[in-house]
Amino acid sequence: MLEARQITQIYGKQERIVLDHLDLRIGSGEFVAITGPSGCGKTTLLCILGSLLRPTSGEVWIDGQCLTEISAQELAYLRAEKIGFVFQFPAFLPTLNIMENLLLPTALALKKAHQSRNNEEKSLEQQRLDQEEVHYRALVLLEQVGLAGREKDLPSTLSGGEQRRVAVARALINRPRLLLADEPTGALDQETGEHLIDLLAQWNEKEGLTLVMATHDHSVARRARRQICL
Ligand SMILES: Nc1ncnc2c1ncn2[C@@H]1O[C@H](COP(=O)(O)OP(=O)(O)OP(=O)(O)O)[C@@H](O)[C@H]1O
């Protein structure tokens, strides 16, 4: 499903080489942990795999499509439809409540779905149904991450760990095929962290979600079926 070919990333004027001709193949439905010491390039690799960062050289392929060859618009749709991203330091729009923040990534995916339908009247009805469906999905996800009832709260009123859990719900809202998670348990206590990994593992097993997770926590990495150490 995901392939990196000869990825090299060089940063700054001092030309610091962080990734050097890296090759990587990840099959559909895999659960992979990327481990390695702080500063070895885990976040850089996830950003390149998720097309948020264009590497200095090399190619990334998703489902047989080379990301360096498609337009910025196509890339935005591809990300919205196929890829969920849990950032190491999640950011939210501070004036929107949790539900509104959760629904933000659905706008582009719904737009793409509506564009591919022909009949306008049907499409309007479908849009209403789609919006109800994503709203329901958001409520279910909030419950799964242990935040039922918090949908009207502003992000600033949530703790760091709670924000992390909202970030996971947001990354799953479009039912992506690929989830790239950067230290998803970073700010969480052990029990909450384990619960979150259980949830991701369930999505991996039941929904076939391909899961690529960067972590320096070995007990978290052991939950993956494959570990790649940078
Ligand atoms: N935009 C940037 N400009 C210059 N250097 C950068 C940039 N982003 C990352 N780096 C450097 O690249 C190296 C790899 O960073 P990266 O964040 O990918 O590592 P990491 O393995 O995820 O680290 P951590 O586990 O601490 O989060 C670090 O030395 C970092 O300073």
Side-chain angles (χ1 to χ4, degrees):
M1 177 196 190
L2 182 62
E3 187 172 351
R5 293 184 189 164
Q6 296 287 293
I7 294 290
T8 293
Q9 180 62 31
I10 303 174
Y11 282 123
K13 286 197 184 120
Q14 293 175 328
E15 306 215 327
R16 188 147 182 267
I17 302 170
V18 175
L19 301 174
D20 188 3
H21 294 89
L22 179 141
D23 286 310
L24 176 64
R25 295 181 82 177
I26 295 174
S28 184
E30 269 204 81
F31 179 177
V32 176
I34 295 175
T35 62
S38 175
C40 71
K42 301 182 293 297
T43 300
T44 300
L45 178 59
L46 285 187
C47 287
I48 290 172
L49 294 177
S51 77
L52 297 170
L53 175 68
R54 195 177 280 260
T56 310
S57 64
E59 291 175 349
V60 175
W61 291 69
I62 289 183
D63 286 336
Q65 208 173 10
C66 179
L67 300 189
T68 40
E69 284 172 2
I70 62 177
S71 69
Q73 172 83 353
E74 283 174 313
L75 205 54
Y77 279 134
L78 181 134
R79 267 199 303 265
E81 274 186 324
K82 292 193 180 176
I83 307 175
F85 212 111
V86 181
F87 295 94
Q88 192 170 11
F89 303 103
F92 301 96
L93 285 182
T95 54
L96 299 185
N97 68 30
I98 296 301
M99 175 57 81
E100 289 161 341
N101 268 286
L102 269 186
L103 294 180
L104 274 180
T106 66
L108 200 58
L110 287 179
K111 189 175 166 205
K112 177 84 193 295
H114 297 149
Q115 272 176 358
S116 54
R117 295 193 186 108
N118 302 328
N119 185 320
E120 203 178 306
E121 234 172 83
K122 252 195 193 162
S123 173
L124 285 174
E125 173 62 5
Q126 192 61 48
Q127 280 181 35
R128 190 182 60 77
L129 290 175
D130 287 348
Q131 268 157 9
E132 278 176 16
E133 209 263 330
V134 289
H135 194 269
Y136 174 73
R137 214 189 296 159
L139 289 176
V140 171
L141 279 168
L142 273 184
E143 192 177 346
Q144 285 179 326
V145 297
L147 291 171
R150 304 294 298 269
E151 56 272 17
K152 296 219 167 96
D153 292 353
L154 288 176
S156 58
T157 66
L158 268 59
S159 72
E162 287 168 341
Q163 290 187 13
R164 186 64 61 114
R165 286 184 270 156
V166 174
V168 170
R170 177 176 61 182
L172 292 173
I173 190 77
N174 280 338
R175 298 178 188 275
R177 289 191 48 223
L178 170 66
L179 186 79
L180 301 168
D182 197 359
E183 302 281 359
T185 58
L188 304 177
D189 60 74
Q190 199 182 346
E191 195 186 334
T192 315
E194 276 173 16
H195 177 71
L196 203 67
I197 298 296
D198 287 344
L199 178 69
L200 293 177
Q202 260 179 36
W203 274 70
N204 169 253
E205 277 162 30
K206 293 192 182 147
E207 312 279 336
L209 175 74
T210 307
L211 189 50
V212 183
M213 180 177 70
T215 182
H216 54 244
D217 182 335
H218 290 290
S219 65
V220 172
R222 274 197 291 272
R223 299 286 304 272
R225 262 163 283 158
R226 181 152 69 111
Q227 289 188 38
I228 296 169
C229 186
L230 287 186

